[in-house]
Structures are given as C-alpha cells and as structure tokens.
Amino acid sequence: MPLFYFCPNHTDISTPVSILDSPIEYLKGVGPQRGELLRKELQIATFGDLLHHYPYRYFDRTQLNKIADVQPGTNDYVQIAGTLVNIYEEGAGHKSRLVATLYDDTGKIELVWFQGAKWLKKTLKENERYVIFGRPAEFNGYVNIPHPEIEPLSALAMAGGMQPMYPTTEKLRAKGITNRSFAKITQALFEKVSQGDVPEVLPAHLLSEYRLCSRYHALRWVHFPDNNEHMQLARHRLKWEELFASQILIARVRLQHTIQPGYIFEKVGDYFNLFYKNHLPFELTGAQKRVLKEIRHDTATGKQMNRLVQGDVGSGKTIVAVMSMLLAMDNGFQACMMAPTEILAQQHYQSISRLMEEMQIPVRLLTGSVKGKERKEILAALADGTLPLVVGTHALIEDSVLFNNLGLAVIDEQHRFGVGQRARLWNKNEKAPHVLVMTATPIPRTLAMTLYGDLDVSVIDELPPGRKEIKTVHRNEMHRARVMHFIRSEIDKGRQAYIVYPLIEESEKLDYESLMAGFEQVKVFFPEDKYNIAMVHGRQDAPLRERNMQRFIKGEAHILVATTVIEVGVNVPNASVMLIESAERFGLSQLHQLRGRVGRGAEQSFCILLTGSKVSEESRQRMQIMVSTANGFVIAEQDLAMRGPGDLYGTRQSGTIKLKIADIVMDVAILEQTRAAAQKIVEQDPGLTHPAHQPLKNILLAQTHQNNWSKIS
Ligand code: ADP
Ligand code: MG
C-alpha cells in the first residue's frame, strides 16, 4: 500500500487564484489566435507557462566577432554584427535556399539558409543592420555560415545588454510569432507579475547554503538579464530548483522502499539447490555469484528489494534472474519475469521452461497475443496460486492480472519500463513484491542516479570465461561485395549472420523501402536455392514475425535480415556475424547492443559496421570508438558525452519531471548537491508537511499532476 500521498486536489477553493493561472490569450499582445498557437505548438497555456518558457541562449552585445577573424572548421560559433546586402533565392521547390551577404568594417561573409527561405526572404531587409550567430563552414574553398540565427540589431537595444533567444517552431515563425514577439509578450508578462506572484519555494536555509538567488529574480533575469553574471545566477538557480524537485521525488520513492515491508525469503530450498547441482549448464562467474548473494541478502531482511542489475551484454543476467525466481518459489511465492517485447518474452519463456521442465515446475507465457481460453486459464492459475511462474510482457501489469502471492518480479531490459510502470507491479499484492531490474545498457553512474536513483545497484562486471572478443571493423559501401563474400564464407562454415537496417520513426517509410531493397540485394549475394533468409520487422503481424524469428533461432535460416526489433536480448549462439547497415545512423549504445547479439557461442564472431563512403568526422569517430572498445560502460559514457541523454534514453526526463533547463550531464555538480539536499529534507519530513516545505510541495504537486502521476505509491 502506498505510504503517503500528495493530496492531488490542490486546486481546492482555499488556494487563492494566482495570476499565473490566467489563460495565455489574456496577455497583452497575445489574443485568441496566437494563444491557440502557443498552446498547440509549445504547450504554453497560461501566464505561468510563459514564465517558464526559458531562453536557450542570449545575444550578448559585448561579445562580437569581426568577419576578418572568422575561421572555418574550428567548431566555434561566432556572433557578428553587420549590414545585410545581396539577398537572393537560389534553386526551386524544396531545394531552394536563401543566400545573403553580411559585411562589417573588416570584410564580408556569405550566409545560407536551406529551410524557411520564403519567410526569411519576406522579413529580411537589404542595407539593414543585423546580428547573426552561427558556425562557419567551408564550402567549395570559401567560408560561409549555414543557417545562422539572425536578429535585427535594433531589437537588441530593447533588452539592455543581453537579448534572449527563445525556443520556437517553424509554424509559430510562419505566423509571425518570432523571437522578438516572445521577448515582447514576456515583457508584458512582467508588467503584470510582481514579486508577490512568484513566491519562493526553496527553504531559506538552502538559498543561503547553496548561494541561490530568489525565485523571482531568477525568473526575471533568465528572461532579461542586465549582465552575464545575473544570467548565470538565474540559470543556476532554476536548474537547481528543477533538479532538486526531481531528487525530492526520487528520495521519497527511495525512502518508501526502505520502510516498505517485504516478504522474507528465509531459506535456500530444494529448487535452488537442485538446480545448482544438477541443471546449471556451467559454473557461475564470480560476479554472478556475488550478485546472487546480494539478492539473497536483500530478500531476507524483511524489507522490499528494489535492485538494478547492470551487466554488459552477454554477462549472463538471465541465469541470475532464474535462480532468484527459484529462491522465491523455494519460499512458497510466485515469481514473474517481464520483458519489453513479445519476441524477448517468448525467448525467455522457451529457455526458462526448458530449465523448469526438468524440475517439473509449471511456467506459462502471458503476452498481449495470448487470448481467450488460454488467457483465462493463466489468469485463474495465477490468482489461485497453482501457477508459480509466469513470463510475459506489459500484459503482466494489466489490472486484470492478479497473483495469489507474487514474491518476486524480474524486469528485463530496464530502460523501456518507467518508474511508474514498476510501481504498478507493487499494487498486485498485500505487500509489494521484491523487484529485480536487469539492464543491458550500462548506464553511466550520473545518469543512473537521476533516472533510477531509487534503486540499489549491482554490477555484473565479468564475462563468462572462454568468450572470444568480437572482432569489429568499419567498412564502407565500396567494400560491400567483399563484406558479403566474407559473410558467405562464415555461413559456409555452418554459422549464421544478422544483417540489420536502421529504422527511425521520422523516416519510417524510407527506412522500410531501404530494408526491402536491402533484402533483395542480400538475395542476389545469397541465392535462394542455397541459402535461407528470414526477415523480421515491425510492420509484420506478430505471428509472422515470430515464425521468421523462430526459423533463425532454430538454425533453419542462415541469415536474419531485420530492423532493430532484435536489438535487445535475443540469444542465438550459432550466429557469428553481425552486419549493421548505415551504421552511422545508430547511437553508440544501440550499436553495442546489436553487437552483443553475436559472440555468444564458442566461435570467433565479427561485427561489421557498414557506412556510406563519405561520413562526417563525428560519425567516423563514433565508428572508431566501436572498433576500439568492447566495454559497454566506456561506450555508454562516450555516447552520453556525444549525444546527450535526451536522445539516448528517449525523453529528457529526470524521474518523472521533464527537465526544461537542467542537463543531467552538464549539470552533474548541481545534481549531486540537490541529491544530498533532497535526501536530508525527505528524511526529516517525508510528507513535506512542515510549513517551510509547503510551497515546494505545491510545485511538486503541480508538476507531477501534469505528468499524470499525482501519487507516489
Ligand atoms: P545477458 O546478460 O546479455 O542477458 P545472457 O543471460 O543471455 O546474457 O547470457 C549470455 C550467454 O552466456 C547465454 O548463452 C548463457 O547461457 C551464457 N552464460 C551465462 N552465464 C554463464 C557462465 N557463468 N558460464 C558460461 N556461460 C554463461
Ligand atoms: Mg538478456
């Protein structure tokens, strides 16, 4: 049962109505039409939302470069003030671009825009003074600046020294809501909003301890700083508040775990021991033994376990999960294992039921596609306790699934399940079951702290013995025939190969086309009378995909052509080649996951990263990282450093709070401060009932409410 709730009806009548709740269209300069657009495009619905729509950058008048000093290829942004001349459109249709020349007293430089050319052409005026911001590039031997941000110089005067630059969208700009409009309406906002409307939310002692400016000043200065120092102070304070809020939530969940009573697994019984003696197909590694010990310790304390097991691909997490489930059953409890996809659930089910068969333990598979009589049967057996073990997908956390006494839930491949989903498992019993989360994506410590700060962490930092390191190479399009020839020689030795194509949502249609084209091309190299090729992708219906997958798993197909549906977990020890097409389009962690599909058997395995013959310097570097290291932790760190966590883990979230200004990589120092501070407060006042914590609680309420997570269970 949940221990404490934040009362979700925070809009009760006793709360005075704040001006910040006023609908955005009531603000001077907005009106119904623009209001509608702001709501739709940027989710700015109220005065308060606008207040928290922060600039992402500032033009600082004092920081200007001269054109004569501009160098390409240094990766540095420049800001130049000058006069715009010679504006013209080049090309037609969607290939059209806008070209213009900017000059100052030291020289001239060309500016080019590929997008939004029409709108720019309408708004830019020749012989006017502008400030531009961008990164110089070299083009046909001379220097230009592609896609610079551009602002009339006169607009800068409006906001003192620093001109805020707001995130906006094409659509808004097309409707004339420019960066300058944002500055204007935000100014109008500050004419309405006074210090009293923006009360402090952080306890006073934190403000002084961490030298944070007041909330009101932070919000004022973040929009209209009079100097660089104020801008820094403001941003620091807002980041602090944001990370602090997320850390409070995490600390509350963590605290709840520590006081949450858990089932006690008293003994190591027959199942576990029998398995260990008779059915374990290999000797456990030291790391596997250590983690099992940690789990045994956790489950004997009388508190609920919440443990994250991090282990590189192939480190042998599954067997640790299986043995933990045996432990649960030894103590009379049910156990379940939840995987992120149907294919993975199926594969776990098959390997687990094989192991359980010998020990005569019934196990069933429950996924979305299990329906009708079979489903009813499984649900009934889970409810009356006759079924001790179930493997499945998200289907397991549906409300209709009730357990008799679920003692342990294993969640495989963590990063696809959110904190909220995990929480739903807890409501299935009188007491929360122990939770074991397995992740194959090694998460850098700082990120783990933010995303899963409520979990204890175990690491399997040792691979099973006898693994040969996978040979990884980077090849390009020109080597395709040679690559295919190589794969054929491996297959002729009796091995199997994966060929993987990228699939991203934005270019889904194109990606499917190239998958199909690729499939045809593979058939040319591998004639159908001699080679069996299976293909799996997300547009196939589940049974077909399953059949194709099984053909490969059983060894009937030599080659599996696939999109990234095989990314996690699939285990085919005989597969020794992984060819990744358009490898430059994958993230490093994803490449590492894919590579981990091979190297699972006794044979030497290979991973071939195939890219176009001309790739960017950054892509080349990324391929180089893959070639040079097999360590998932190193790769995850590099990935994080190169791409930022947003891309990597799907959302820019911390716990349940969407981060607007903080960055969990760049702001790790603040993160650590806020974590310590949050921990202290939550220990002293878990429900945030102290009057000094009331304002803080109110914003947490508002934020978690927005994320549809008003209770912490
Ligand atoms: P992952 O951690 O990526 O989920 P798996 O649990 O799928 O890895 O294990 C990868 C392979 O290694 C499997 O074929 C498994 O049977 C094997 N394996 C696991 N532990 C050991 C061990 N201690 N010794 C030898 N092989 C092992
Ligand atoms: Mg696995």
Side-chain angles (χ1 to χ4, degrees), residues 281-285 288 311-319 348 412-413 440 464-465 467 569 571 573 597 600:
F282 36 68
E283 178 74 17
L284 292 177
T285 63
Q288 285 170 321
D312 211 339
V313 272
S315 61
K317 294 181 291 293
T318 314
I319 209 76
H348 276 315
D412 196 21
E413 312 301 357
R467 285 280 163 80
N571 190 20
R597 296 309 106 213
R600 298 185 154 242

Side-chain angles (χ1 to χ4, degrees), residues 44 99 183 187 195 255 281 296 311 330 341 383 499 505 621 700:
I44 297 175
V99 185
Q187 255 178 353
Q195 187 143 13
L255 175 72
R296 273 191 50 199
D330 270 340
T341 66
I499 302 182
E505 264 167 48
Q621 273 175 22
L700 284 174

Side-chain angles (χ1 to χ4, degrees), residues 58-72:
Y58 307 81
F59 276 131
D60 181 349
R61 293 194 78 171
T62 61
Q63 303 290 320
L64 287 175
N65 301 89
K66 289 292 178 196
I67 290 176
D69 299 332
V70 171
Q71 301 281 340

Side-chain angles (χ1 to χ4, degrees), residues 382-678:
L382 284 175
D384 68 21
T386 47
L387 180 59
L389 191 52
V390 62
V391 177
T393 54
H394 285 79
L396 288 174
I397 55 174
E398 279 165 24
D399 290 337
S400 59
V401 182
L402 296 171
F403 290 84
N404 180 45
N405 60 348
L406 180 63
L408 172 70
V410 178
I411 305 178
D412 196 21
E413 312 301 357
Q414 159 70 17
H415 63 275
R416 306 210 178 172
F417 288 101
V419 182
Q421 280 171 321
R422 250 189 287 135
R424 290 186 63 178
L425 269 172
W426 308 347
N427 300 331
K428 296 209 165 290
N429 275 86
E430 162 205 357
K431 277 188 208 166
H434 297 297
V435 176
L436 191 62
V437 178
M438 310 281 196
T439 169
T441 310
I443 302 166
R445 203 184 72 85
T446 56
L447 190 59
M449 212 165 83
T450 327
L451 295 179
Y452 316 116
D454 62 312
L455 301 173
D456 294 318
V457 179
S458 294
V459 183
I460 305 187
D461 50 5
E462 185 185 348
L463 291 180
R467 285 280 163 80
K468 288 205 181 104
E469 186 147 320
I470 301 162
K471 285 200 175 131
T472 303
V473 293
H474 174 200
R475 295 282 180 264
N476 68 47
E477 210 35 61
M478 323 255 265
H479 307 123
R480 178 175 293 277
R482 275 227 309 267
V483 166
M484 292 299 175
H485 181 77
F486 170 76
I487 295 177
R488 199 157 50 205
S489 70
E490 283 297 297
I491 289 176
D492 292 346
K493 282 188 220 158
R495 323 263 189 272
Q496 290 165 278
Y498 295 97
I499 302 182
V500 180
Y501 288 80
L503 178 71
I504 56 169
E505 264 167 48
E506 297 90 78
S507 58
E508 201 182 275
K509 192 162 167 287
L510 270 179
D511 280 345
Y512 274 111
E513 280 166 15
S514 72
L515 173 72
M516 296 308 158
F519 184 51
E520 292 307 315
Q521 200 178 20
V522 171
K523 281 200 270 191
V524 173
F525 286 102
F526 297 92
E528 276 176 294
D529 55 341
K530 255 189 97 185
Y531 298 94
N532 257 313
I533 307 169
M535 177 163 67
V536 296
H537 58 76
R539 285 199 181 174
Q540 292 165 331
D541 58 20
L544 175 64
R545 190 165 65 220
E546 188 49 38
R547 270 203 310 282
N548 289 338
M549 194 70 218
Q550 289 303 340
R551 276 173 55 214
F552 188 72
I553 292 172
K554 289 192 189 121
E556 293 162 15
H558 301 103
I559 298 176
L560 184 72
V561 173
T563 55
T564 40
V565 288
I566 59 154
E567 186 182 333
V568 278
V570 174
N571 190 20
V572 181
N574 189 47
S576 70
V577 183
M578 168 63 65
L579 169 62
I580 304 174
E581 296 271 359
S582 304
E584 71 272 29
R585 291 181 52 199
F586 290 87
L588 284 180
S589 290
Q590 223 181 350
L591 289 174
H592 183 62
Q593 285 293 317
L594 286 168
R595 176 166 63 182
R597 296 309 106 213
V598 296
R600 298 185 154 242
E603 306 305 330
Q604 175 63 55
S605 290
F606 303 88
C607 174
I608 305 158
L609 308 167
L610 201 62
T611 66
S613 48
K614 275 191 190 147
V615 292
S616 70
E617 178 55 24
E618 193 203 310
S619 301
R620 209 192 51 73
Q621 273 175 22
R622 289 169 356 103
M623 297 306 120
Q624 197 43 46
I625 293 170
M626 289 302 299
V627 170
S628 67
T629 181
N631 184 326
F633 284 88
V634 173
I635 289 171
E637 294 279 1
Q638 299 267 3
D639 206 7
L640 198 59
M642 292 183 88
R643 302 207 304 164
D647 290 301
L648 193 50
Y649 298 99
T651 50
R652 224 175 116 79
Q653 294 234 140
S654 165
T656 59
I657 287 185
K658 206 151 186 223
L659 299 176
K660 283 191 169 146
I661 188 166
D663 177 319
I664 48 186
V665 181
M666 306 296 285
D667 300 321
V668 63
I670 303 178
L671 183 66
E672 303 209 358
Q673 284 180 358
T674 56
R675 183 172 149 94

